Amino acid sequence: RFVVGRAIAYQRDGQLPRSLKLLDGALKAQPGNAELWLFRGRYRVESSDCAGAARDFSRATSLAPDNPAAYASLGLALMCTDDRAGARRAFERSLGLDPDQPSIREFLANIGG
């Protein structure tokens, strides 16, 4: 929790690279922590590293396969990389876990068939 709190503080203070560096170190120590993968993915999206974010979110989904937010995040990162089919699968999985997500339904509808 301390690491995540510190990473958030750095990010809010405009120190995104410092936040990412902290999360990199934390993931070396705790590679099985899905929450850390989610936060690093989020900050990678902010730094326009959509492919890296997709890898982080994919890792988070493998560690927390019942977490709808992990799949929703993966879907957003995949949309950013223009992988519409992958984004569709991720959004559908997220909705399968938690159907009460109107924004994810809207993303899915906007992807098209």
Side-chain angles (χ1 to χ4, degrees), residues 5-83:
R6 182 86 340 255
I8 291 170
Y10 289 151
Q11 182 268 346
R12 286 186 180 157
D13 194 36
Q15 300 180 57
L16 187 57
R18 189 173 182 187
S19 180
L20 285 165
K21 184 176 179 179
L22 176 66
L23 290 167
D24 289 344
L27 282 165
K28 286 180 185 172
Q30 294 183 29
N33 186 319
E35 184 178 14
L36 293 175
W37 289 105
L38 285 169
F39 269 92
R40 190 172 79 169
R42 175 180 164 194
Y43 293 151
R44 280 180 145 180
V45 167
E46 280 190 38
S47 65
S48 300
D49 179 7
C50 296
R55 288 189 300 273
D56 287 351
F57 294 139
S58 182
R59 179 75 172 136
T61 62
S62 70
L63 293 168
D66 295 331
N67 183 336
Y71 287 97
S73 298
L74 176 59
L76 292 171
L78 291 171
M79 281 182 60
C80 181
T81 66
D82 207 29
D83 179 354

